[in-house]
Amino acid sequence: MGQDEWAEKIRHQMRFEFERTGPPDDFPALPEIPTERYISGEFFALEEKIWQQSWLLVGREEDWSEPGRYRTADRGGSPLLICRDLDGELRGFFNTCQHRGAPVVREACGLAKRLRCQYHSWTYGLDGELLSVPDERDFRDLDRGSRGLRPVRLETYGGWVFVNEDLDAEPLLSWLGPIAEEWAPLHGESLRAMASRRERVPANWKIVADAFLETYHVKTIHTSTVSKLLDHRGAAMGLFRNGHSRMVTPKWDRVVERQRQVASGIRELPGLHALFAETNPAYSVFPNLITPLDTVGFPFIQFWPMGIAETEVEWTFYGLPTDVPEEQAAWEAYVGVFDQVMGEDFQNLGSMHRSVASGALASIPLNYQERRIYHLHEEIDRRLGRDLIPEAMQVRPVLEPFWESQS
């Protein structure tokens, strides 16, 4: 689908949203979400499967700028190691020596010609092959060929690096579905990280993620920021296979006109359709990546569970690289405004988790505007296996008939 066809589809959806007087006639009442899903240790333990069998963003190709450059990644739960081998290929492994499980690197990042276990000095090549074992004579029938570092899947899209512990996982491009095509005009390979932030939020990761999947809250908590930019009544939402989704929210006409007259000081990404300037297209990639796109750049926001009641939120901005002081200053101002918006989003989440944990709220009723939240929870249950989830914590699948097609 080209940009013109995509834009016409979105505009049609936005017109429908503005004109409707209620939910579409064929849209179901969404079953309430049991709050036990957010606070149950049993459910949290089941969710480990999500992080082991999903494509997770771990960085940019340029983060591994030369052979031997490595970085660790463990916020998905498992200790992973990504390195660029001597032939320049990016590879992913478990950061786990195949002797007794010690890490082969301790530092979060570095440069190495070989990977040496921090316990007994078993040494591996950057391709994961076991090269040497101290006192090898004391092992009977040790097969070095079968003791290489355990690999994980690693694939890239637009310069971003994703890993998946499941060696039989669906290829990344197929997994992304329509999003891969809709992000193509961004030309991700030409972008670079402009700024990055991290924040710990005292709430379950799903409470945090839910907050970024609807605009129902905009008029209440973003009174001086987002609500002055976006008209939530026209938000057009699309649900995709694999739990991904899209939400395109129109800007107020006065905002669009002001943007035409006043330059931001940041270069715009070339070749984008006019709809990018007239709206805020936001995407969710299951399980933990959200991005609200803009014409000058955008953040990738990720939610990492640190425990049942704690989430680390990381957001990194991407844009056209610059060494011009005035543009760098404009970027600082741009990121500062977004930091304010994130603070507004965070302010209720810890209290919401405490309320849920107290038993004061047994289930969550969602409206039509909040259907992306239900879509996320349906996919969580599909990934875990409904037969493994206690019946009282399940959500009933009802949204598949409303998924957009892959074509």
Side-chain angles (χ1 to χ4, degrees):
M1 181 187 302
Q3 286 198 77
D4 288 341
E5 185 180 354
W6 169 80
E8 180 53 38
K9 178 177 73 171
I10 298 300
R11 285 185 170 133
H12 175 78
Q13 292 174 351
M14 289 193 296
R15 286 194 294 270
F16 171 82
E17 293 298 329
F18 275 120
E19 294 170 0
R20 67 180 177 84
T21 57
D25 292 339
D26 62 343
F27 193 82
L30 295 174
E32 297 191 6
I33 295 180
T35 55
E36 190 69 15
R37 298 166 62 89
Y38 298 93
I39 57 174
S40 162
E42 180 181 5
F43 198 88
F44 186 76
L46 287 174
E47 287 178 334
E48 182 178 354
K49 182 178 180 181
I50 291 174
W51 310 101
Q52 294 174 337
Q53 298 184 0
S54 297
W55 285 104
L56 303 176
L57 175 66
V58 294
R60 292 276 304 177
E61 290 190 65
E62 58 268 19
D63 293 335
W64 295 269
S65 56
E66 59 187 306
R69 188 66 63 183
Y70 69 82
R71 285 175 176 262
T72 59
D74 59 8
R75 283 179 294 171
S78 298
L80 303 183
L81 165 68
I82 297 91
C83 66
R84 194 175 290 280
D85 70 17
L86 295 178
D87 293 325
E89 181 180 350
L90 273 176
R91 294 177 178 268
F93 305 100
F94 285 88
N95 185 19
T96 303
C97 178
Q98 296 301 293
H99 175 213
R100 286 169 57 187
V104 294
V105 298
R106 285 203 185 100
E107 297 78 12
C109 59
L111 184 66
K113 294 181 179 179
R114 294 184 175 186
L115 304 170
R116 185 171 63 85
C117 173
Q118 302 296 298
Y119 198 8
H120 297 98
S121 291
W122 281 34
T123 302
Y124 301 83
L126 296 172
D127 59 359
E129 180 184 351
L130 179 58
L131 299 178
S132 65
V133 174
D135 297 333
E136 189 171 355
R137 65 180 184 175
D138 290 326
F139 289 88
R140 286 188 179 275
D141 303 321
L142 178 66
D143 178 10
R144 276 200 260 157
S146 66
R147 288 287 172 177
L149 295 178
R150 182 180 163 191
V152 298
R153 286 278 293 281
L154 186 152
E155 296 182 19
T156 64
Y157 171 83
W160 289 284
V161 179
F162 291 78
V163 294
N164 193 323
E165 294 178 33
D166 181 3
L167 296 180
D168 297 320
E170 179 181 8
L172 176 61
L173 277 180
S174 174
W175 160 268
L176 289 173
I179 290 178
E181 183 178 4
E182 294 185 19
W183 283 2
L186 301 173
H187 298 292
E189 294 88 350
S190 68
L191 307 181
R192 293 295 180 268
M194 309 304 292
S196 189
R197 303 280 193 271
R198 287 189 185 185
E199 184 84 17
R200 289 288 181 105
V201 179
N204 182 265
W205 75 275
K206 297 183 295 299
I207 287 178
V208 181
D210 291 353
F212 290 81
L213 293 173
E214 44 88 3
T215 55
Y216 187 42
H217 68 278
V218 164
K219 290 193 299 182
T220 303
I221 70 170
H222 297 306
T223 54
S224 63
T225 53
V226 182
S227 66
K228 293 185 178 299
L229 177 69
L230 304 179
D231 184 353
H232 79 285
R233 299 171 303 163
M237 302 183 192
L239 309 179
F240 304 136
R241 185 177 68 88
N242 289 329
H244 314 319
S245 63
R246 177 208 317 112
M247 178 172 66
V248 183
T249 308
K251 295 176 182 176
W252 295 102
D253 289 343
R254 63 180 181 272
V255 172
V256 176
E257 183 59 30
R258 186 170 65 246
Q259 287 178 166
R260 291 193 182 109
Q261 297 176 0
V262 180
S264 70
I266 302 174
R267 287 167 300 153
E268 294 190 342
L269 307 184
L272 295 180
H273 194 279
L275 189 67
F276 278 88
E278 300 165 5
T279 66
N280 175 238
Y283 290 82
S284 170
V285 176
F286 186 86
N288 71 329
L289 173 60
I290 300 279
T291 180
L293 303 179
D294 196 2
T295 55
V296 299
F298 47 86
F300 271 8
I301 309 168
Q302 291 180 276
F303 315 107
W304 299 102
M306 298 290 104
I308 296 176
E310 186 175 34
T311 301
E312 183 167 271
V313 183
E314 178 180 24
W315 59 105
T316 299
F317 283 85
Y318 298 99
L320 297 172
T322 181
D323 56 5
V324 178
E326 293 80 6
E327 189 172 17
Q328 291 173 336
W331 263 109
E332 290 180 11
Y334 182 86
V335 172
V337 171
F338 195 83
D339 288 347
Q340 179 183 347
V341 173
M342 293 293 280
E344 293 166 352
D345 279 315
F346 293 155
Q347 63 184 328
N348 289 317
L349 302 181
S351 297
M352 290 164 64
H353 185 99
R354 290 194 297 274
S355 291
V356 168
S358 75
L361 180 67
S363 61
I364 297 173
L366 296 176
N367 68 34
Y368 173 69
Q369 288 188 45
E370 299 169 301
R371 59 196 182 276
R372 293 173 77 213
I373 295 175
Y374 201 86
H375 183 55
L376 169 68
H377 284 260
E378 282 191 358
E379 187 64 22
I380 288 172
D381 283 15
R382 272 189 290 272
R383 294 288 162 182
L384 300 184
R386 289 177 58 82
D387 57 325
L388 299 178
I389 304 171
E391 186 174 356
M393 288 188 251
Q394 296 178 12
V395 296
R396 182 162 56 88
V398 297
L399 288 179
E400 186 170 351
F402 301 91
W403 293 0
E404 289 191 12
S405 66
Q406 290 284 97
S407 59

